[in-house]
Amino acid sequence: MAGQSFNFGRIFLQPSVVFFRSQLSFGFVNRKPVLPGHVLVSPLRVVKRFCELTEEEVADLFTSTQKIARVVEKVYGASSLSIAIQDGPEAGQTIEHVHVHVLPRKKGDFEHNDDVYKALDEHDKQEDSLVAETGSATNKGLRSEEEMAKEAAYLADLF
């Protein structure tokens, strides 16, 4: 998506990693996906906790999540989806901006189904520690801006 950068908490996302935008929400690819096709959906307004969203933002966020989920499930050949919000630090939220994880799921992708939540928790902590240590989430096994932009461009063409 052309234009200005998007705020994701204290992180500035390049428009090239954003593949979907509605009136109040946006969808973007993940720097370090837990599974192929793991994307995020967030309100445009930076809001720390889910209950701080307006009714309009909640409706838009979930409508956007539903639209994105349909596409991601089909594109990545999934048979199911895990859709999750980690709302607050004790729930595993590390970026202080409401966001919905959309993960396309396939039989056998985790030994135990609920292991996806452990993977999400560890994933977010690893990325947040990289930001804290380096001021950015580059390198150390994370995808490049080019890789992310390629996936975002592909997904954007489906909306």
Side-chain angles (χ1 to χ4, degrees):
M1 299 218 147
Q4 64 187 27
S5 64
F6 290 79
N7 286 17
F8 179 49
R10 65 184 181 280
I11 299 169
F12 294 98
L13 300 174
Q14 294 302 315
S16 61
V17 304
V18 175
F19 63 86
F20 178 90
R21 178 158 180 196
S22 67
Q23 183 179 356
L24 300 173
S25 303
F26 67 107
F28 55 103
V29 298
N30 203 318
R31 179 161 301 273
K32 190 173 182 183
V34 169
L35 294 167
H38 174 191
V39 299
L40 302 169
V41 188
S42 196
L44 288 167
R45 183 170 69 96
V46 177
V47 178
K48 290 181 183 182
R49 300 289 308 278
F50 181 77
C51 288
E52 296 171 6
L53 294 170
T54 66
E55 289 180 13
E56 292 80 12
E57 287 170 322
V58 170
D60 190 89
L61 180 66
F62 277 95
T63 299
S64 297
T65 298
Q66 185 181 50
K67 289 176 184 176
I68 290 167
R70 282 186 188 121
V71 169
V72 165
E73 184 173 18
K74 184 177 179 179
V75 166
Y76 290 93
S79 56
S80 301
L81 296 162
S82 287
I83 298 173
I85 298 174
Q86 296 164 300
D87 191 35
E90 288 72 36
Q93 180 186 29
T94 56
I95 303 294
E96 292 183 337
H97 188 162
V98 173
H99 56 285
V100 180
H101 294 264
V102 179
L103 295 97
R105 301 291 304 275
K106 298 177 182 177
K107 186 175 180 124
D109 54 13
F110 286 96
E111 184 176 349
H112 302 285
N113 186 52
D114 284 349
D115 288 348
V116 68
Y117 302 109
K118 182 178 180 183
L120 270 176
D121 188 48
E122 291 171 1
H123 156 270
D124 282 348
K125 287 180 181 169
Q126 290 169 354
E127 186 164 337
D128 194 51
S129 68
L130 288 174
V131 172
E133 290 171 20
T134 65
S136 71
T138 57
N139 301 322
K140 299 194 182 186
L142 302 178
R143 297 195 305 167
S144 70
E145 293 289 331
E146 294 79 22
E147 291 171 305
M148 294 169 62
K150 184 177 178 182
E151 182 182 24
Y154 175 73
L155 290 172
D157 284 343
L158 302 173
F159 292 97

